[in-house]
Amino acid sequence: MVVFFIILFSLLMLFVRKDNVTYIILILLTFITFFTQFLVGRTFEYKSYKTIFNVSFICINIYLIIKPWSYANILRVEDLNVNFFVFFKKILYKFLFINLFLNLLILILVLIFLPDISAFKAESAYLNLYDQIPYFANIFRYAYTTQSLGYLAIPIFYYYLGNLEKKEALYAFLFSSSSLLSGFAFYSRAQIFTYTLLFIIYFFLIKKSLPKFIQVKVLKLIRYSSVCIVILFLFITYIRFSAMDYYGDRIPQDSIVKDPIIYSLFDYASQSYSNGLYQLEVYNDEKSLNGEQFFRDVYQVLNFFGILNWDAKDSQDHIDRAYNYDGGAFNGYTAPLVFNFGYITTLLISLIYFISIKLRIKNKKVKSLKSMYFLILMLVIPIVSIFYTGYALLLFPIVFLVFSRFMFAIKRLI
């Protein structure tokens, strides 16, 4: 596993440019995630030809979702379709305003009724609120399904900032933070991490398109806000795992890190490679989920409107059985794709991702704001690959983006 990862890391490093910080951060994320597993005593027992195949398959897929970002060299972002921008922003802001309100409401209710983070996460205690608070189930499910929609406001924030429209930029930032607020509402460290890193990495992606003094101010904003978010992140971690006395018993004897709280952070960051490889080693046709894990939100919506007969508990049981009741762990980018779509389709998905990103950014120094909506959503994939696949998170934003373009085309025809 180490040999194959060194090859992966070396190949990615061949294309590093000093001015492409986005690409460098994505490589560092992969590097840190892989090597932190040795600090917490993670071991892997399988040694076979299948293991060699699975390790190489994981590395190939990781390469395909990181490498295309090496071509990025965006010097200017332009709004080439003002009418669509006004139309899209108007609809997006309405949804994000609702999301801000609902996420704040959920956060307040959770803090009142479920202040114990460990109970919320480990015991799914939030399900009890479905019966205690009218319509809470629908509100919770909607907010969870749309939690990534705020990402689409990040390009708008930087676009206005580049044009020195500070008031409009502030509005865009506020609406984009609905995705960050959802992380706190759901006690989701992964969501907090994803929004923060996405906001930072996107800045470096379009940094050259911003005036110099704006770049300096944004870097200061990133530093100060990152410190605050890290403190809150650590606070959630401390509250959650300090209440889990049994967690210390999980620490392997050969783990270098012994403190339960610190161990939880390293364990959190290092699961994907070893877990993903283990799951691929035990994978067979009987474990195939046929997309169940990825389309849960779609099935849930269709079931809500009576279009499809689907049961959430049966679906979760199906997923749990496939992963030997360890589906809650982080299994990385590759394993969940294989479990849902098989090896060949997984490779095709990664290839399509590679080609689509490469075609959109290679030798494209000037980008339209419209195209940046797609790019920021796709940037989520390599960021969250250290935890899971991420495509399911983007289903609603992508549908929203496609639907907005369709409605705009209909409006123009009318």
Side-chain angles (χ1 to χ4, degrees):
M1 188 161 61
V2 174
V3 171
F4 275 92
F5 181 81
I6 290 174
I7 294 173
L8 167 65
F9 185 72
S10 300
L11 287 173
L12 291 173
M13 288 298 294
L14 287 175
F15 304 96
V16 166
R17 299 193 324 265
K18 290 182 180 180
D19 62 336
N20 191 346
V21 181
T22 293
Y23 182 60
I24 293 172
I25 293 176
L26 293 178
I27 294 175
L28 286 175
L29 272 178
T30 306
F31 179 84
I32 292 170
T33 301
F34 183 84
F35 280 101
T36 49
Q37 65 183 313
F38 301 110
L39 298 177
V40 292
R42 289 189 173 275
T43 57
F44 193 82
E45 298 178 359
Y46 292 88
K47 296 177 182 178
S48 65
Y49 289 114
K50 184 178 180 180
T51 306
I52 295 173
F53 173 79
N54 283 326
V55 171
S56 60
F57 191 73
I58 289 174
C59 290
I60 290 170
N61 281 276
I62 294 299
Y63 177 85
L64 289 173
I65 62 172
I66 294 179
K67 174 60 178 64
W69 297 100
S70 68
Y71 300 108
N73 187 26
I74 299 172
L75 301 181
R76 191 165 71 254
V77 176
E78 297 180 345
D79 181 15
L80 302 179
N81 192 333
V82 178
N83 291 331
F84 174 75
F85 174 62
V86 173
F87 176 82
F88 176 72
K89 187 182 74 169
K90 186 177 180 180
I91 298 175
L92 178 66
Y93 279 12
K94 287 181 178 179
F95 271 87
L96 294 183
F97 177 80
I98 294 172
N99 283 17
L100 271 172
F101 174 77
L102 293 181
N103 285 323
L104 182 60
L105 177 63
I106 291 171
L107 177 60
I108 293 172
L109 291 174
V110 167
L111 288 174
I112 293 173
F113 292 95
L114 296 172
D116 185 355
I117 297 177
S118 60
F120 181 95
K121 299 295 289 187
E123 303 170 20
S124 298
Y126 63 88
L127 295 174
N128 297 330
L129 299 183
Y130 286 10
D131 298 323
Q132 297 178 38
I133 304 173
Y135 304 109
F136 181 81
N138 293 336
I139 293 173
F140 191 92
R141 288 166 182 158
Y142 169 82
Y144 189 83
T145 302
T146 63
Q147 63 181 302
S148 302
L149 191 61
Y151 299 156
L152 291 173
I154 294 178
I156 299 176
F157 164 74
Y158 282 110
Y159 172 74
Y160 276 130
L161 209 58
N163 291 332
L164 306 181
E165 298 181 60
K166 296 180 181 179
K167 186 177 179 180
E168 292 294 337
L170 181 61
Y171 285 139
F173 176 73
L174 179 64
F175 285 124
S176 76
S177 66
S178 64
S179 291
L180 177 63
L181 186 60
S182 70
F184 291 105
F186 302 133
Y187 289 147
S188 173
R189 294 182 298 169
Q191 175 68 351
I192 296 170
F193 173 88
T194 302
Y195 174 87
T196 304
L197 209 55
L198 181 63
F199 189 89
I200 294 171
I201 293 179
Y202 183 84
F203 163 71
F204 288 110
L205 181 66
I206 53 88
K207 179 183 176 183
K208 296 176 185 177
S209 69
L210 302 174
K212 290 289 184 182
F213 75 97
I214 292 294
Q215 294 179 25
V216 173
K217 289 185 176 182
V218 172
L219 282 171
K220 286 183 179 179
L221 171 66
I222 287 174
R223 286 195 199 101
Y224 296 139
S225 58
S226 295
V227 169
C228 294
I229 291 172
V230 167
I231 291 173
L232 290 170
F233 183 94
L234 293 175
F235 176 75
I236 291 176
T237 300
Y238 177 79
I239 295 297
R240 177 181 176 184
F241 289 97
S242 62
M244 298 168 65
D245 298 331
Y246 58 86
Y247 195 80
D249 298 332
R250 298 182 179 181
I251 301 176
Q253 291 184 353
D254 55 350
S255 172
I256 297 174
V257 180
K258 298 297 183 181
D259 181 81
I261 306 299
I262 299 176
Y263 174 83
S264 72
L265 290 171
F266 282 94
D267 180 55
Y268 185 82
S270 65
Q271 293 183 27
S272 60
Y273 280 96
S274 56
N275 285 356
L277 183 54
Y278 167 76
Q279 292 293 350
L280 288 178
E281 288 293 300
V282 298
Y283 171 77
N284 54 52
D285 291 340
E286 294 180 358
K287 292 179 177 289
S288 177
L289 294 171
N290 297 314
E292 180 74 28
Q293 193 175 8
F294 281 75
F295 299 118
R296 274 176 60 87
D297 290 341
V298 176
Y299 296 154
Q300 190 165 257
V301 171
L302 295 176
N303 179 71
F304 179 81
F305 289 104
I307 300 174
L308 178 71
N309 185 21
W310 177 83
D311 185 81
K313 291 183 178 179
D314 290 342
S315 173
Q316 190 57 53
D317 183 63
H318 183 199
I319 294 170
D320 288 340
R321 281 188 281 107
Y323 289 105
N324 294 329
Y325 294 91
D326 195 28
F330 294 138
N331 293 312
Y333 170 83
T334 309
L337 277 174
V338 172
F339 270 67
N340 282 270
F341 305 112
Y343 282 95
I344 295 175
T345 304
T346 294
L347 185 60
L348 285 175
I349 291 172
S350 297
L351 280 170
I352 291 170
Y353 179 93
F354 175 87
I355 294 169
S356 64
I357 300 301
K358 181 180 178 181
L359 289 175
R360 280 172 170 80
I361 62 177
K362 188 177 182 180
N363 300 323
K364 303 288 178 64
K365 296 183 179 181
V366 179
K367 295 296 298 178
S368 69
L369 181 59
K370 188 176 177 180
S371 66
M372 298 310 295
Y373 300 138
F374 175 80
L375 286 179
I376 195 165
L377 293 180
M378 292 301 102
L379 191 55
V380 171
I381 301 302
I383 291 175
V384 303
S385 66
I386 65 173
F387 300 129
Y388 35 68
T389 301
Y391 291 112
L393 287 174
L394 304 180
L395 277 177
F396 186 85
I398 290 174
V399 170
F400 180 86
L401 192 57
V402 172
F403 180 75
S404 297
R405 292 181 178 179
F406 174 76
M407 291 303 296
F408 179 72
I410 295 297
K411 182 182 178 182
R412 292 185 65 183
L413 290 175
I414 296 175

